[in-house]
Amino acid sequence: MQRHLRGANAIARRALEAGHHPFGALLVGPDHETVLAEQGNIDSVNHAEAVLARMAAKAWSADELWHCTLYTTVEPCCMCAGTQYWAHIGRLVYGMAEHRLRQLTGDHPENPTMDLPCREVFARGQKDIRVWGPVAEVEAEIAALHLAFWRRDRA
């Protein structure tokens, strides 16, 4: 899990270098090794996880995706969790909790973070999506990118 989360964080770093918000996501196959797709954040409505889930839903069947894992740097917001749900991706691993992101971003106008855990979003559905996170071993690495980004214009 840590290796794939670090891979997602490398994607987030590339998104940051390209001028986007520092979020990254990977889709890993049923073998828990093969990276099938990756995506960095694009903008405020095209989050890494949602874009990746939409692309995956076009490329693979629901039965195939059910056995895959979405790895993401930060816990998916309600939009991204919903998109994962509808894409039928059966597992999720995230590095840092959304409420921790909210602590880091504060009232930043580019990220009015909602404190709505993805587990609550999934619990309202009919699918048993398995969730792991936050992962303490990588949280500081992920938080470092966000600290640099969200506080850059407030110094």
Side-chain angles (χ1 to χ4, degrees), residues 2 6 9-10 35 39 44 55 89 107 111 135:
Q2 293 175 41
R6 285 189 173 106
N9 205 37
V35 175
Q39 182 65 50
S44 295
M55 291 185 326
I89 299 169
D107 64 349
N111 199 49
V135 177

Side-chain angles (χ1 to χ4, degrees), residues 14-155:
R14 290 195 302 268
L16 176 64
E17 291 166 356
H20 304 292
H21 297 168
F23 297 93
L26 296 172
L27 181 66
V28 176
D31 65 359
H32 306 290
E33 293 295 325
T34 306
V35 175
L36 301 173
E38 61 180 51
Q39 182 65 50
N41 213 62
I42 297 172
D43 57 35
S44 295
V45 294
N46 289 290
H47 296 179
E49 305 91 339
V51 172
L52 181 87
R54 285 185 203 103
M55 291 185 326
K58 289 181 181 179
W60 293 281
S61 72
D63 288 339
E64 290 171 310
L65 289 174
W66 185 250
H67 301 285
C68 293
T69 306
L70 176 64
Y71 282 86
T72 184
T73 52
V74 178
E75 179 177 8
C77 70
C78 56
M79 174 181 69
C80 292
T83 307
Q84 177 180 348
Y85 177 87
W86 290 108
H88 205 65
I89 299 169
R91 293 188 300 264
L92 169 69
V93 179
Y94 64 88
M96 185 171 71
E98 189 173 31
H99 71 267
R100 175 70 175 124
L101 175 65
R102 187 172 183 190
Q103 292 171 347
L104 297 175
T105 62
D107 64 349
H108 198 290
E110 291 181 32
N111 199 49
T113 306
M114 299 175 74
D115 192 3
L116 178 58
C118 66
R119 286 176 174 92
E120 288 185 33
V121 175
F122 294 142
R124 302 298 177 118
Q126 300 176 44
K127 301 175 186 179
D128 186 22
I129 295 175
R130 298 181 64 195
V131 180
W132 292 267
V135 177
E137 293 85 354
V138 298
E139 185 174 348
E141 298 166 42
I142 293 166
L145 282 182
H146 288 275
L147 282 168
F149 182 81
W150 298 109
R151 297 187 179 167
R152 74 188 188 282
D153 59 349
R154 295 181 179 222

